[in-house]
């Protein structure tokens, strides 16, 4: 897999198939990127599970926080890593010890570890590196175009007007 460039269909396929996301490195600090990514993903209907040993047993955005991936009592579809690249191998050890294995390991912006990616892919896990699911979801749904950013998505579809976020949904093409 070429981790320097992803096809839109690859990213959209992931975002359309996962339901539960463990955020490793989740923060209770509302100005941290992991906090607003969690908030956004929760608003989009994902089940988001924060993982942070310093916050274990407490809630972040109303979600119970766990110290380790192994402590989460439900199956996880995707692990979103909000840690530095040098922390990825140890996190991948935790991921590969899960039963069942998650479908996806996603590494946030600036986070990349090619050897860990090979290990995950060898186990049948899809990998995304140096990307943000919040940004990718908004880009593929055409939402960031509302803010004056060229998302590359054109649509005559009327947005769904409701409280909170509006969404066209993630497009495959």
């Amino acid at each position: 897999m070429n981790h320097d460039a992803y096809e839109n269909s690859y990213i959209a396929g992931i975002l359309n198939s996962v339901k539960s996301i463990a955020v490793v490195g989740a923060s209770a600090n509302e100005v941290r990127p992991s906090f607003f990514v969690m908030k956004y993903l929760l608003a989009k209907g994902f089940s988001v599970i924060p993982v942070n040993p310093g916050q274990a047993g407490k809630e972040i955005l109303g979600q119970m926080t766990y110290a380790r991936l192994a402590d989460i009592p439900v199956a996880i579809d995707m692990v979103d890593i909000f840690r530095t690249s040098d922390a990825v191998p140890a996190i991948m050890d935790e991921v590969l010890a899960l039963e069942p294995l998650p479908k996806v390991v996603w590494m946030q912006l600036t986070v990349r570890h090619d050897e860990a990616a090979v290990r995950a892919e060898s186990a049948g896990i899809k990998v995304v590196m140096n990307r943000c699911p919040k940004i990718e979801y908004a880009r593929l749904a055409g939402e960031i175009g509302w803010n004056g950013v060229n998302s590359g998505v054109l649509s005559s579809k009327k947005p769904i007007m409701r409280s909170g976020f509006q969404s066209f949904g993630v497009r495959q093409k």
Side-chain angles (χ1 to χ4, degrees), residues 9-26:
S9 60
Y10 181 74
I11 299 293
I14 288 170
L15 294 173
N16 283 322
S17 69
V18 301
K19 304 289 181 239
S20 60
I21 302 171
V23 178
V24 177

Side-chain angles (χ1 to χ4, degrees), residues 30-49:
E30 62 188 31
V31 299
R32 302 286 301 185
S34 63
F35 184 90
F36 54 81
V37 166
M38 276 188 56
K39 185 174 183 175
Y40 180 88
L41 294 173
L42 283 165
K44 294 301 178 187
F46 293 97
S47 169
V48 182
I49 305 158

Side-chain angles (χ1 to χ4, degrees), residues 2-170:
N2 177 7
H3 290 288
D4 294 320
Y6 298 102
E7 295 289 330
N8 286 345
S9 60
Y10 181 74
I11 299 293
I14 288 170
L15 294 173
N16 283 322
S17 69
V18 301
K19 304 289 181 239
S20 60
I21 302 171
V23 178
V24 177
S27 177
N29 183 339
E30 62 188 31
V31 299
R32 302 286 301 185
S34 63
F35 184 90
F36 54 81
V37 166
M38 276 188 56
K39 185 174 183 175
Y40 180 88
L41 294 173
L42 283 165
K44 294 301 178 187
F46 293 97
S47 169
V48 182
I49 305 158
V51 178
N52 180 329
Q55 295 292 318
K58 301 175 186 172
E59 289 188 357
I60 298 176
L61 290 166
Q63 310 304 305
M64 181 56 63
T65 306
Y66 296 91
R68 307 175 308 129
L69 290 169
D71 297 339
I72 298 172
V74 296
I76 304 161
D77 293 330
M78 183 170 103
V79 175
D80 184 11
I81 302 175
F82 261 103
R83 299 283 313 281
T84 61
S85 297
D86 61 341
V88 171
I91 296 167
M92 193 60 69
D93 291 341
E94 283 191 58
V95 167
L96 294 173
L98 293 173
E99 183 61 43
L101 290 173
K103 299 174 189 175
V104 180
V105 170
W106 191 299
M107 299 178 214
Q108 279 292 333
L109 294 171
T110 74
V111 181
R112 182 177 180 125
H113 200 287
D114 291 309
E115 292 168 6
V118 168
R119 289 177 59 208
E121 290 169 338
S122 296
I125 300 171
K126 292 182 178 181
V127 175
V128 177
M129 296 190 285
N130 192 29
R131 297 286 177 104
C132 175
K134 175 188 179 296
I135 293 169
E136 294 302 310
Y137 189 105
R139 181 180 66 81
L140 293 169
E143 293 176 3
I144 59 176
W146 298 340
N147 295 320
V149 176
N150 181 0
S151 67
V153 176
L154 295 176
S155 177
S156 61
K157 190 174 178 183
K158 183 177 179 181
I160 301 166
M161 304 304 280
R162 61 181 185 269
S163 63
F165 290 95
Q166 300 173 26
S167 180
F168 292 124
V170 174

